[in-house]
PDB file of all heavy atoms in Angstrom:
ATOM      1  N   TYR R 119     146.046 324.209 -46.979  1.00  0.00           N
ATOM      2  CA  TYR R 119     146.454 324.813 -48.244  1.00  0.00           C
ATOM      3  C   TYR R 119     147.153 326.144 -47.957  1.00  0.00           C
ATOM      4  O   TYR R 119     146.689 326.940 -47.130  1.00  0.00           O
ATOM      5  CB  TYR R 119     145.239 325.076 -49.123  1.00  0.00           C
ATOM      6  CG  TYR R 119     144.583 323.830 -49.665  1.00  0.00           C
ATOM      7  CD1 TYR R 119     143.400 323.352 -49.112  1.00  0.00           C
ATOM      8  CD2 TYR R 119     145.137 323.131 -50.738  1.00  0.00           C
ATOM      9  CE1 TYR R 119     142.780 322.210 -49.610  1.00  0.00           C
ATOM     10  CE2 TYR R 119     144.535 321.988 -51.240  1.00  0.00           C
ATOM     11  CZ  TYR R 119     143.362 321.536 -50.675  1.00  0.00           C
ATOM     12  OH  TYR R 119     142.762 320.408 -51.165  1.00  0.00           O
ATOM     13  N   ASN R 120     148.268 326.395 -48.646  1.00  0.00           N
ATOM     14  CA  ASN R 120     148.915 327.700 -48.512  1.00  0.00           C
ATOM     15  C   ASN R 120     148.279 328.681 -49.491  1.00  0.00           C
ATOM     16  O   ASN R 120     147.283 328.359 -50.164  1.00  0.00           O
ATOM     17  CB  ASN R 120     150.432 327.585 -48.711  1.00  0.00           C
ATOM     18  CG  ASN R 120     150.812 327.127 -50.112  1.00  0.00           C
ATOM     19  OD1 ASN R 120     149.991 327.128 -51.045  1.00  0.00           O
ATOM     20  ND2 ASN R 120     152.070 326.741 -50.293  1.00  0.00           N
ATOM     21  N   LYS R 121     148.833 329.865 -49.599  1.00  0.00           N
ATOM     22  CA  LYS R 121     148.245 330.908 -50.449  1.00  0.00           C
ATOM     23  C   LYS R 121     148.228 330.502 -51.918  1.00  0.00           C
ATOM     24  O   LYS R 121     147.420 330.999 -52.695  1.00  0.00           O
ATOM     25  CB  LYS R 121     149.016 332.212 -50.274  1.00  0.00           C
ATOM     26  CG  LYS R 121     148.854 332.836 -48.898  1.00  0.00           C
ATOM     27  CD  LYS R 121     149.650 334.124 -48.775  1.00  0.00           C
ATOM     28  CE  LYS R 121     149.486 334.732 -47.393  1.00  0.00           C
ATOM     29  NZ  LYS R 121     150.283 335.979 -47.236  1.00  0.00           N
ATOM     30  N   GLU R 122     149.136 329.610 -52.292  1.00  0.00           N
ATOM     31  CA  GLU R 122     149.202 329.152 -53.679  1.00  0.00           C
ATOM     32  C   GLU R 122     148.323 327.922 -53.927  1.00  0.00           C
ATOM     33  O   GLU R 122     148.301 327.376 -55.034  1.00  0.00           O
ATOM     34  CB  GLU R 122     150.650 328.818 -54.074  1.00  0.00           C
ATOM     35  CG  GLU R 122     151.569 330.030 -54.214  1.00  0.00           C
ATOM     36  CD  GLU R 122     151.919 330.651 -52.876  1.00  0.00           C
ATOM     37  OE1 GLU R 122     152.169 329.877 -51.920  1.00  0.00           O
ATOM     38  OE2 GLU R 122     151.923 331.892 -52.788  1.00  0.00           O
ATOM     39  N   GLY R 123     147.619 327.463 -52.889  1.00  0.00           N
ATOM     40  CA  GLY R 123     146.756 326.304 -53.034  1.00  0.00           C
ATOM     41  C   GLY R 123     147.479 324.979 -52.960  1.00  0.00           C
ATOM     42  O   GLY R 123     146.958 323.942 -53.384  1.00  0.00           O
ATOM     43  N   VAL R 124     148.688 324.986 -52.391  1.00  0.00           N
ATOM     44  CA  VAL R 124     149.487 323.772 -52.257  1.00  0.00           C
ATOM     45  C   VAL R 124     149.266 323.164 -50.874  1.00  0.00           C
ATOM     46  O   VAL R 124     149.251 323.883 -49.870  1.00  0.00           O
ATOM     47  CB  VAL R 124     150.992 324.083 -52.467  1.00  0.00           C
ATOM     48  CG1 VAL R 124     151.849 322.842 -52.223  1.00  0.00           C
ATOM     49  CG2 VAL R 124     151.227 324.633 -53.862  1.00  0.00           C
ATOM     50  N   GLU R 125     149.107 321.848 -50.818  1.00  0.00           N
ATOM     51  CA  GLU R 125     148.912 321.180 -49.534  1.00  0.00           C
ATOM     52  C   GLU R 125     150.195 321.215 -48.711  1.00  0.00           C
ATOM     53  O   GLU R 125     151.256 320.813 -49.193  1.00  0.00           O
ATOM     54  CB  GLU R 125     148.493 319.719 -49.720  1.00  0.00           C
ATOM     55  CG  GLU R 125     147.175 319.537 -50.455  1.00  0.00           C
ATOM     56  CD  GLU R 125     147.374 319.052 -51.870  1.00  0.00           C
ATOM     57  OE1 GLU R 125     148.431 319.372 -52.463  1.00  0.00           O
ATOM     58  OE2 GLU R 125     146.474 318.354 -52.380  1.00  0.00           O
ATOM     59  N   CYS R 126     150.097 321.709 -47.486  1.00  0.00           N
ATOM     60  CA  CYS R 126     151.248 321.815 -46.590  1.00  0.00           C
ATOM     61  C   CYS R 126     150.905 321.210 -45.232  1.00  0.00           C
ATOM     62  O   CYS R 126     149.748 321.242 -44.802  1.00  0.00           O
ATOM     63  CB  CYS R 126     151.654 323.284 -46.398  1.00  0.00           C
ATOM     64  SG  CYS R 126     152.238 324.098 -47.890  1.00  0.00           S
ATOM     65  N   PHE R 127     151.924 320.690 -44.559  1.00  0.00           N
ATOM     66  CA  PHE R 127     151.707 320.209 -43.198  1.00  0.00           C
ATOM     67  C   PHE R 127     151.419 321.401 -42.281  1.00  0.00           C
ATOM     68  O   PHE R 127     152.037 322.459 -42.403  1.00  0.00           O
ATOM     69  CB  PHE R 127     152.940 319.457 -42.695  1.00  0.00           C
ATOM     70  CG  PHE R 127     153.122 318.102 -43.316  1.00  0.00           C
ATOM     71  CD1 PHE R 127     154.150 317.867 -44.222  1.00  0.00           C
ATOM     72  CD2 PHE R 127     152.263 317.061 -43.002  1.00  0.00           C
ATOM     73  CE1 PHE R 127     154.320 316.618 -44.806  1.00  0.00           C
ATOM     74  CE2 PHE R 127     152.421 315.808 -43.579  1.00  0.00           C
ATOM     75  CZ  PHE R 127     153.449 315.582 -44.487  1.00  0.00           C
ATOM     76  N   SER R 128     150.490 321.216 -41.364  1.00  0.00           N
ATOM     77  CA  SER R 128     150.142 322.297 -40.432  1.00  0.00           C
ATOM     78  C   SER R 128     150.597 321.972 -39.014  1.00  0.00           C
ATOM     79  O   SER R 128     150.140 322.584 -38.056  1.00  0.00           O
ATOM     80  CB  SER R 128     148.632 322.541 -40.448  1.00  0.00           C
ATOM     81  OG  SER R 128     147.932 321.381 -40.029  1.00  0.00           O
ATOM     82  N   PHE R 129     151.510 321.006 -38.877  1.00  0.00           N
ATOM     83  CA  PHE R 129     151.960 320.594 -37.550  1.00  0.00           C
ATOM     84  C   PHE R 129     153.392 320.067 -37.634  1.00  0.00           C
ATOM     85  O   PHE R 129     153.918 319.779 -38.710  1.00  0.00           O
ATOM     86  CB  PHE R 129     151.060 319.470 -37.009  1.00  0.00           C
ATOM     87  CG  PHE R 129     151.227 318.170 -37.760  1.00  0.00           C
ATOM     88  CD1 PHE R 129     152.074 317.173 -37.289  1.00  0.00           C
ATOM     89  CD2 PHE R 129     150.586 317.962 -38.974  1.00  0.00           C
ATOM     90  CE1 PHE R 129     152.250 315.992 -37.998  1.00  0.00           C
ATOM     91  CE2 PHE R 129     150.761 316.788 -39.689  1.00  0.00           C
ATOM     92  CZ  PHE R 129     151.596 315.800 -39.183  1.00  0.00           C
ATOM     93  N   GLY R 130     154.014 319.927 -36.468  1.00  0.00           N
ATOM     94  CA  GLY R 130     155.286 319.212 -36.355  1.00  0.00           C
ATOM     95  C   GLY R 130     156.485 319.860 -37.011  1.00  0.00           C
ATOM     96  O   GLY R 130     156.469 321.039 -37.366  1.00  0.00           O
ATOM     97  N   LYS R 131     157.517 319.076 -37.211  1.00  0.00           N
ATOM     98  CA  LYS R 131     158.796 319.597 -37.698  1.00  0.00           C
ATOM     99  C   LYS R 131     158.716 320.100 -39.138  1.00  0.00           C
ATOM    100  O   LYS R 131     159.572 320.883 -39.566  1.00  0.00           O
ATOM    101  CB  LYS R 131     159.878 318.522 -37.584  1.00  0.00           C
ATOM    102  CG  LYS R 131     159.649 317.289 -38.450  1.00  0.00           C
ATOM    103  CD  LYS R 131     160.792 316.290 -38.291  1.00  0.00           C
ATOM    104  CE  LYS R 131     160.610 315.064 -39.184  1.00  0.00           C
ATOM    105  NZ  LYS R 131     161.741 314.120 -39.044  1.00  0.00           N
ATOM    106  N   HIS R 132     157.713 319.655 -39.885  1.00  0.00           N
ATOM    107  CA  HIS R 132     157.576 320.086 -41.281  1.00  0.00           C
ATOM    108  C   HIS R 132     156.435 321.093 -41.465  1.00  0.00           C
ATOM    109  O   HIS R 132     155.945 321.275 -42.581  1.00  0.00           O
ATOM    110  CB  HIS R 132     157.342 318.877 -42.180  1.00  0.00           C
ATOM    111  CG  HIS R 132     158.517 317.952 -42.259  1.00  0.00           C
ATOM    112  ND1 HIS R 132     159.776 318.370 -42.637  1.00  0.00           N
ATOM    113  CD2 HIS R 132     158.622 316.623 -41.986  1.00  0.00           C
ATOM    114  CE1 HIS R 132     160.613 317.343 -42.616  1.00  0.00           C
ATOM    115  NE2 HIS R 132     159.936 316.267 -42.213  1.00  0.00           N
ATOM    116  N   LYS R 133     156.026 321.720 -40.395  1.00  0.00           N
ATOM    117  CA  LYS R 133     154.929 322.685 -40.461  1.00  0.00           C
ATOM    118  C   LYS R 133     155.234 323.771 -41.486  1.00  0.00           C
ATOM    119  O   LYS R 133     156.302 324.372 -41.477  1.00  0.00           O
ATOM    120  CB  LYS R 133     154.709 323.323 -39.088  1.00  0.00           C
ATOM    121  CG  LYS R 133     153.502 324.263 -39.034  1.00  0.00           C
ATOM    122  CD  LYS R 133     153.267 324.772 -37.617  1.00  0.00           C
ATOM    123  CE  LYS R 133     152.043 325.673 -37.547  1.00  0.00           C
ATOM    124  NZ  LYS R 133     151.796 326.158 -36.168  1.00  0.00           N
ATOM    125  N   GLY R 134     154.283 323.997 -42.388  1.00  0.00           N
ATOM    126  CA  GLY R 134     154.436 325.010 -43.418  1.00  0.00           C
ATOM    127  C   GLY R 134     155.090 324.511 -44.693  1.00  0.00           C
ATOM    128  O   GLY R 134     155.105 325.216 -45.704  1.00  0.00           O
ATOM    129  N   LYS R 135     155.629 323.296 -44.672  1.00  0.00           N
ATOM    130  CA  LYS R 135     156.301 322.744 -45.853  1.00  0.00           C
ATOM    131  C   LYS R 135     155.304 321.968 -46.714  1.00  0.00           C
ATOM    132  O   LYS R 135     154.370 321.355 -46.201  1.00  0.00           O
ATOM    133  CB  LYS R 135     157.450 321.817 -45.437  1.00  0.00           C
ATOM    134  CG  LYS R 135     158.568 322.510 -44.681  1.00  0.00           C
ATOM    135  CD  LYS R 135     159.649 321.505 -44.292  1.00  0.00           C
ATOM    136  CE  LYS R 135     160.753 322.157 -43.468  1.00  0.00           C
ATOM    137  NZ  LYS R 135     161.776 321.162 -43.045  1.00  0.00           N
ATOM    138  N   ALA R 136     155.537 321.974 -48.022  1.00  0.00           N
ATOM    139  CA  ALA R 136     154.664 321.267 -48.946  1.00  0.00           C
ATOM    140  C   ALA R 136     154.733 319.766 -48.686  1.00  0.00           C
ATOM    141  O   ALA R 136     155.818 319.196 -48.588  1.00  0.00           O
ATOM    142  CB  ALA R 136     155.055 321.570 -50.378  1.00  0.00           C
ATOM    143  N   VAL R 137     153.584 319.145 -48.564  1.00  0.00           N
ATOM    144  CA  VAL R 137     153.520 317.708 -48.283  1.00  0.00           C
ATOM    145  C   VAL R 137     154.263 316.915 -49.356  1.00  0.00           C
ATOM    146  O   VAL R 137     155.055 316.017 -49.045  1.00  0.00           O
ATOM    147  CB  VAL R 137     152.046 317.234 -48.209  1.00  0.00           C
ATOM    148  CG1 VAL R 137     151.971 315.714 -48.082  1.00  0.00           C
ATOM    149  CG2 VAL R 137     151.335 317.905 -47.040  1.00  0.00           C
ATOM    150  N   GLU R 138     154.033 317.261 -50.608  1.00  0.00           N
ATOM    151  CA  GLU R 138     154.653 316.528 -51.714  1.00  0.00           C
ATOM    152  C   GLU R 138     156.179 316.590 -51.639  1.00  0.00           C
ATOM    153  O   GLU R 138     156.860 315.586 -51.850  1.00  0.00           O
ATOM    154  CB  GLU R 138     154.161 317.100 -53.043  1.00  0.00           C
ATOM    155  CG  GLU R 138     154.451 316.220 -54.236  1.00  0.00           C
ATOM    156  CD  GLU R 138     153.747 316.693 -55.489  1.00  0.00           C
ATOM    157  OE1 GLU R 138     152.532 317.000 -55.414  1.00  0.00           O
ATOM    158  OE2 GLU R 138     154.415 316.762 -56.549  1.00  0.00           O
ATOM    159  N   ASP R 139     156.716 317.770 -51.293  1.00  0.00           N
ATOM    160  CA  ASP R 139     158.172 317.928 -51.193  1.00  0.00           C
ATOM    161  C   ASP R 139     158.735 317.100 -50.040  1.00  0.00           C
ATOM    162  O   ASP R 139     159.777 316.453 -50.176  1.00  0.00           O
ATOM    163  CB  ASP R 139     158.541 319.405 -51.000  1.00  0.00           C
ATOM    164  CG  ASP R 139     158.254 320.242 -52.236  1.00  0.00           C
ATOM    165  OD1 ASP R 139     158.088 319.642 -53.323  1.00  0.00           O
ATOM    166  OD2 ASP R 139     158.186 321.477 -52.109  1.00  0.00           O
ATOM    167  N   VAL R 140     158.045 317.126 -48.903  1.00  0.00           N
ATOM    168  CA  VAL R 140     158.518 316.396 -47.728  1.00  0.00           C
ATOM    169  C   VAL R 140     158.529 314.893 -48.000  1.00  0.00           C
ATOM    170  O   VAL R 140     159.506 314.201 -47.694  1.00  0.00           O
ATOM    171  CB  VAL R 140     157.640 316.711 -46.496  1.00  0.00           C
ATOM    172  CG1 VAL R 140     157.996 315.786 -45.324  1.00  0.00           C
ATOM    173  CG2 VAL R 140     157.802 318.173 -46.082  1.00  0.00           C
ATOM    174  N   LEU R 141     157.450 314.388 -48.597  1.00  0.00           N
ATOM    175  CA  LEU R 141     157.357 312.949 -48.855  1.00  0.00           C
ATOM    176  C   LEU R 141     158.376 312.500 -49.896  1.00  0.00           C
ATOM    177  O   LEU R 141     158.838 311.355 -49.876  1.00  0.00           O
ATOM    178  CB  LEU R 141     155.946 312.582 -49.311  1.00  0.00           C
ATOM    179  CG  LEU R 141     154.807 312.866 -48.311  1.00  0.00           C
ATOM    180  CD1 LEU R 141     153.497 312.326 -48.836  1.00  0.00           C
ATOM    181  CD2 LEU R 141     155.115 312.288 -46.941  1.00  0.00           C
ATOM    182  N   ASP R 142     158.748 313.425 -50.789  1.00  0.00           N
ATOM    183  CA  ASP R 142     159.751 313.098 -51.803  1.00  0.00           C
ATOM    184  C   ASP R 142     161.155 313.050 -51.197  1.00  0.00           C
ATOM    185  O   ASP R 142     161.941 312.143 -51.494  1.00  0.00           O
ATOM    186  CB  ASP R 142     159.698 314.133 -52.933  1.00  0.00           C
ATOM    187  CG  ASP R 142     160.695 313.827 -54.037  1.00  0.00           C
ATOM    188  OD1 ASP R 142     160.664 312.706 -54.574  1.00  0.00           O
ATOM    189  OD2 ASP R 142     161.519 314.711 -54.356  1.00  0.00           O
ATOM    190  N   LYS R 143     161.458 314.005 -50.330  1.00  0.00           N
ATOM    191  CA  LYS R 143     162.798 314.105 -49.750  1.00  0.00           C
ATOM    192  C   LYS R 143     162.989 313.176 -48.547  1.00  0.00           C
ATOM    193  O   LYS R 143     164.107 312.801 -48.212  1.00  0.00           O
ATOM    194  CB  LYS R 143     163.077 315.551 -49.329  1.00  0.00           C
ATOM    195  CG  LYS R 143     163.132 316.519 -50.502  1.00  0.00           C
ATOM    196  CD  LYS R 143     163.278 317.959 -50.041  1.00  0.00           C
ATOM    197  CE  LYS R 143     163.274 318.927 -51.209  1.00  0.00           C
ATOM    198  NZ  LYS R 143     163.328 320.342 -50.765  1.00  0.00           N
ATOM    199  N   GLU R 144     161.884 312.830 -47.886  1.00  0.00           N
ATOM    200  CA  GLU R 144     161.966 312.004 -46.682  1.00  0.00           C
ATOM    201  C   GLU R 144     160.931 310.882 -46.760  1.00  0.00           C
ATOM    202  O   GLU R 144     159.900 310.920 -46.083  1.00  0.00           O
ATOM    203  CB  GLU R 144     161.720 312.883 -45.446  1.00  0.00           C
ATOM    204  CG  GLU R 144     162.143 312.268 -44.139  1.00  0.00           C
ATOM    205  CD  GLU R 144     161.966 313.229 -42.962  1.00  0.00           C
ATOM    206  OE1 GLU R 144     162.077 314.449 -43.167  1.00  0.00           O
ATOM    207  OE2 GLU R 144     161.714 312.736 -41.867  1.00  0.00           O
ATOM    208  N   PRO R 145     161.184 309.866 -47.594  1.00  0.00           N
ATOM    209  CA  PRO R 145     160.199 308.806 -47.827  1.00  0.00           C
ATOM    210  C   PRO R 145     159.740 308.099 -46.551  1.00  0.00           C
ATOM    211  O   PRO R 145     158.585 307.686 -46.447  1.00  0.00           O
ATOM    212  CB  PRO R 145     160.946 307.835 -48.752  1.00  0.00           C
ATOM    213  CG  PRO R 145     162.000 308.669 -49.405  1.00  0.00           C
ATOM    214  CD  PRO R 145     162.419 309.679 -48.381  1.00  0.00           C
ATOM    215  N   GLY R 146     160.623 307.960 -45.573  1.00  0.00           N
ATOM    216  CA  GLY R 146     160.268 307.278 -44.342  1.00  0.00           C
ATOM    217  C   GLY R 146     159.206 307.998 -43.531  1.00  0.00           C
ATOM    218  O   GLY R 146     158.517 307.386 -42.711  1.00  0.00           O
ATOM    219  N   TYR R 147     159.062 309.293 -43.774  1.00  0.00           N
ATOM    220  CA  TYR R 147     158.086 310.078 -43.023  1.00  0.00           C
ATOM    221  C   TYR R 147     156.665 309.633 -43.363  1.00  0.00           C
ATOM    222  O   TYR R 147     155.783 309.648 -42.511  1.00  0.00           O
ATOM    223  CB  TYR R 147     158.273 311.562 -43.329  1.00  0.00           C
ATOM    224  CG  TYR R 147     157.554 312.493 -42.386  1.00  0.00           C
ATOM    225  CD1 TYR R 147     157.778 312.450 -41.011  1.00  0.00           C
ATOM    226  CD2 TYR R 147     156.653 313.445 -42.858  1.00  0.00           C
ATOM    227  CE1 TYR R 147     157.124 313.310 -40.139  1.00  0.00           C
ATOM    228  CE2 TYR R 147     155.996 314.315 -42.006  1.00  0.00           C
ATOM    229  CZ  TYR R 147     156.238 314.243 -40.651  1.00  0.00           C
ATOM    230  OH  TYR R 147     155.592 315.102 -39.801  1.00  0.00           O
ATOM    231  N   PHE R 148     156.457 309.226 -44.612  1.00  0.00           N
ATOM    232  CA  PHE R 148     155.134 308.757 -45.033  1.00  0.00           C
ATOM    233  C   PHE R 148     154.734 307.501 -44.250  1.00  0.00           C
ATOM    234  O   PHE R 148     153.617 307.393 -43.758  1.00  0.00           O
ATOM    235  CB  PHE R 148     155.139 308.473 -46.533  1.00  0.00           C
ATOM    236  CG  PHE R 148     153.833 307.939 -47.059  1.00  0.00           C
ATOM    237  CD1 PHE R 148     152.715 308.754 -47.130  1.00  0.00           C
ATOM    238  CD2 PHE R 148     153.729 306.625 -47.489  1.00  0.00           C
ATOM    239  CE1 PHE R 148     151.501 308.266 -47.613  1.00  0.00           C
ATOM    240  CE2 PHE R 148     152.525 306.128 -47.969  1.00  0.00           C
ATOM    241  CZ  PHE R 148     151.419 306.957 -48.030  1.00  0.00           C
ATOM    242  N   GLY R 149     155.678 306.571 -44.106  1.00  0.00           N
ATOM    243  CA  GLY R 149     155.412 305.364 -43.342  1.00  0.00           C
ATOM    244  C   GLY R 149     155.108 305.660 -41.892  1.00  0.00           C
ATOM    245  O   GLY R 149     154.216 305.050 -41.286  1.00  0.00           O
ATOM    246  N   TRP R 150     155.848 306.622 -41.332  1.00  0.00           N
ATOM    247  CA  TRP R 150     155.598 307.002 -39.940  1.00  0.00           C
ATOM    248  C   TRP R 150     154.199 307.589 -39.783  1.00  0.00           C
ATOM    249  O   TRP R 150     153.483 307.256 -38.826  1.00  0.00           O
ATOM    250  CB  TRP R 150     156.642 308.020 -39.484  1.00  0.00           C
ATOM    251  CG  TRP R 150     156.385 308.501 -38.083  1.00  0.00           C
ATOM    252  CD1 TRP R 150     156.732 307.883 -36.921  1.00  0.00           C
ATOM    253  CD2 TRP R 150     155.684 309.709 -37.702  1.00  0.00           C
ATOM    254  NE1 TRP R 150     156.302 308.620 -35.835  1.00  0.00           N
ATOM    255  CE2 TRP R 150     155.651 309.736 -36.280  1.00  0.00           C
ATOM    256  CE3 TRP R 150     155.097 310.753 -38.413  1.00  0.00           C
ATOM    257  CZ2 TRP R 150     155.053 310.772 -35.579  1.00  0.00           C
ATOM    258  CZ3 TRP R 150     154.494 311.776 -37.704  1.00  0.00           C
ATOM    259  CH2 TRP R 150     154.481 311.781 -36.300  1.00  0.00           C
ATOM    260  N   LEU R 151     153.775 308.425 -40.732  1.00  0.00           N
ATOM    261  CA  LEU R 151     152.453 309.045 -40.663  1.00  0.00           C
ATOM    262  C   LEU R 151     151.342 307.993 -40.726  1.00  0.00           C
ATOM    263  O   LEU R 151     150.357 308.070 -39.987  1.00  0.00           O
ATOM    264  CB  LEU R 151     152.279 310.046 -41.813  1.00  0.00           C
ATOM    265  CG  LEU R 151     153.106 311.334 -41.718  1.00  0.00           C
ATOM    266  CD1 LEU R 151     153.087 312.061 -43.059  1.00  0.00           C
ATOM    267  CD2 LEU R 151     152.575 312.245 -40.623  1.00  0.00           C
TER     268      LEU R 151
END
């Protein structure tokens, strides 16, 4: 969770980015995970 209480990735190329935003912009990443 970041300071705003939003779930963020804590690893890899999307470290620090909101999970919801990443999965929305890069749908294939969810399948890879």
Side-chain angles (χ1 to χ4, degrees):
Y119 290 103
N120 64 14
K121 292 180 180 179
E122 289 72 41
V124 176
E125 299 106 331
C126 296
F127 287 109
S128 61
F129 69 96
K131 64 179 182 179
H132 293 305
K133 185 175 182 179
K135 296 179 183 178
V137 173
E138 195 170 313
D139 292 343
V140 171
L141 299 186
D142 181 55
K143 295 175 182 176
E144 196 176 330
Y147 194 57
F148 178 70
W150 177 82
L151 289 167

